[in-house]
Amino acid sequence: MPNLQNPSSPADGYRGRFAPSPTGPLHAGSLVAALGSWLDARQNQGKWLLRIEDLDTPRCIPGADQEIMRQLQSCGLFWDEEPTWQSKRLERYKVALERLNELQIVYYCTCTRQSIVSTLEAQGVITPRNQEMVYPGTCRPQKIATHQDENKFLTQAALRLALPIDLTIEFEDLALGKQSQDLNRDVGDFVLRRRDSVFTYQLAVVVDDAEQRINHIVRGVDLLSNTARQIHLQSVLEYPTPNYIHLPLVLDEYGEKLSKQTLASAINTENTQEALKELRKAAKHLGLRDLPDGKATSIAEWLLAATQAWDRKIISS
Ligand code: GLU
Ligand code: ZN
């Protein structure tokens, strides 16, 4: 049955956030997400929170969080409330996982990447290189065992969420319009805690957005394919579903998303002029082409003009 989620009614006003992973300094792509979410929050007299998503420790770079914070400040993108670090909130994710386990919708998975590839191949399913594999449900019969044996939480196995049979999630992206995803067909039972005991992005982001009462999520379109999973998790955990806006990605000269892997260079914020240059580039990418900022010499002035000009409907794609 289609599951149409109603966006939460923001009882305590607009609350947005920027949630960078500290895998390196801000680059042109992450600045677009920071600026877009900041402008949307400011135009709506909202709060804008900063959350450092540092759970995937092997990928995190020591000091990158501080560097990102310095860069944001140099660009005049100040946050409200104390920043949070996911690495300090492990207990919260564990509580959520236990709640899902009580609902008997969590199970252990001992599959390796290779064994999943082999199972899929045996079923005649070939996953294109840049696409995620749809988990074939191999370990699902272990579902009940997980629930009965608490100690198993300690073993070397991943924990997956068992999806209901028929699960099409529909939601309205405030910039892109109606979206829909069949989770069984496109994703399969997904991982909540990895075999190395790291809580996954999907679980942590849903718990944090709910606990921080975030009701507007503005982020890059590369995360769009995660949104249906997150809405499903929100619904099983009985959290409200926020509004979503996905922003256009900045691509490099090869058409690849800018990231640390593609060696995207850090934005230059060494002085006001350089920071303004970076901000103008990011704004242009968001569709703010004729920003009436002619005389803006301070970042605050420029940001004010950009906030007034911000328009969800002209976000380019
Ligand atoms: N930490 C994620 C990233 O940097 C973003 C999470 C989000 O905005 O939901 O890609
Ligand atoms: Zn498995």
Side-chain angles (χ1 to χ4, degrees):
M1 230 215 300
N3 179 357
L4 184 61
Q5 300 289 329
N6 294 320
S8 61
S9 64
D12 49 4
Y14 183 118
R15 289 175 69 81
R17 50 48 159 203
F18 177 52
S21 305
T23 51
L26 288 184
H27 51 71
S30 37
L31 182 63
V32 165
L35 179 64
S37 57
W38 190 92
L39 290 173
D40 201 63
R42 288 292 176 260
Q43 195 184 58
N44 290 284
Q45 290 86 43
K47 297 259 188 262
W48 188 71
L49 279 61
L50 176 64
R51 176 166 74 230
I52 305 293
E53 302 210 324
D54 58 346
L55 285 184
D56 194 356
T57 37
R59 290 180 59 234
C60 293
I61 294 189
D65 52 352
Q66 300 302 325
E67 176 65 15
I68 290 170
M69 289 161 84
R70 272 194 299 274
Q71 290 172 303
L72 289 172
Q73 285 167 327
S74 305
C75 289
L77 304 177
F78 297 103
W79 50 91
D80 306 299
E81 306 185 4
E82 281 299 304
T84 50
W85 277 259
Q86 288 191 323
S87 57
K88 295 186 188 150
R89 295 177 40 77
L90 303 185
E91 202 45 48
R92 305 305 306 154
Y93 313 133
K94 190 159 165 265
V95 168
L97 191 57
E98 272 160 7
R99 208 161 127 204
L100 296 168
N101 192 40
E102 275 160 25
L103 296 170
Q104 305 195 24
I105 50 175
V106 174
Y107 65 89
Y108 288 102
C109 171
T110 47
C111 298
T112 60
R113 223 189 136 68
Q114 195 45 51
S115 73
I116 296 175
V117 171
S118 308
T119 307
L120 288 173
E121 269 174 13
Q123 295 173 352
V125 182
I126 310 288
T127 309
R129 268 183 70 87
N130 53 356
Q131 254 175 45
E132 268 179 89
M133 290 187 290
V134 177
Y135 182 65
T138 323
C139 297
R140 218 191 227 246
Q142 297 180 30
K143 194 165 134 187
I144 301 302
T146 303
H147 182 67
Q148 287 169 349
D149 185 358
E150 276 297 309
N151 290 332
K152 280 210 170 183
F153 257 33
L154 305 171
T155 63
Q156 285 284 315
L159 288 161
R160 288 186 185 267
L161 181 74
L163 297 176
I165 296 165
D166 197 1
L167 186 62
T168 298
I169 300 285
E170 293 179 2
F171 64 98
E172 181 81 18
D173 181 292
L174 297 182
L176 304 175
K178 213 177 172 69
Q179 306 292 315
S180 151
Q181 190 179 41
D182 176 336
L183 280 179
N184 288 291
R185 189 197 60 201
D186 295 351
V187 181
D189 295 343
F190 57 89
V191 177
L192 301 171
R193 202 197 67 175
R194 300 188 328 209
R195 59 193 299 145
D196 60 2
S197 293
V198 174
F199 294 104
T200 60
Y201 159 63
Q202 309 295 352
L203 179 69
V205 82
V206 162
V207 170
D208 287 346
D209 284 330
E211 294 194 357
Q212 296 182 303
R213 305 193 313 286
I214 301 298
N215 48 36
H216 287 76
I217 294 182
V218 182
R219 60 186 179 190
V221 76
D222 54 322
L223 294 162
L224 180 63
S225 62
N226 295 277
T227 304
R229 265 171 273 189
Q230 293 169 15
I231 289 176
H232 176 61
L233 265 179
Q234 287 152 7
S235 103
V236 285
L237 287 165
E238 295 177 40
Y239 297 151
T241 287
N243 294 289
Y244 286 97
I245 296 181
H246 290 89
L247 304 171
L249 287 190
V250 179
L251 303 178
D252 66 13
E253 55 192 303
Y254 308 105
E256 301 247 8
K257 180 195 150 193
L258 288 192
S259 68
K260 221 189 99 241
Q261 286 76 19
T262 60
L263 303 176
S265 49
I267 54 164
N268 180 356
T269 56
E270 67 188 18
N271 59 46
T272 304
Q273 283 323 308
E274 294 299 332
L276 270 173
K277 233 193 259 173
E278 300 285 5
L279 284 167
R280 285 198 171 95
K281 252 196 286 174
K284 192 166 165 208
H285 196 75
L286 289 165
L288 297 175
R289 292 225 158 68
D290 304 307
L291 210 51
D293 71 331
K295 289 196 282 301
T297 47
S298 81
I299 288 180
E301 265 178 330
W302 184 88
L303 284 171
L304 187 64
T307 304
Q308 283 159 358
W310 172 248
D311 182 354
R312 291 172 182 169
K313 288 192 287 301
I314 59 155
I315 297 171
S316 54
S317 50

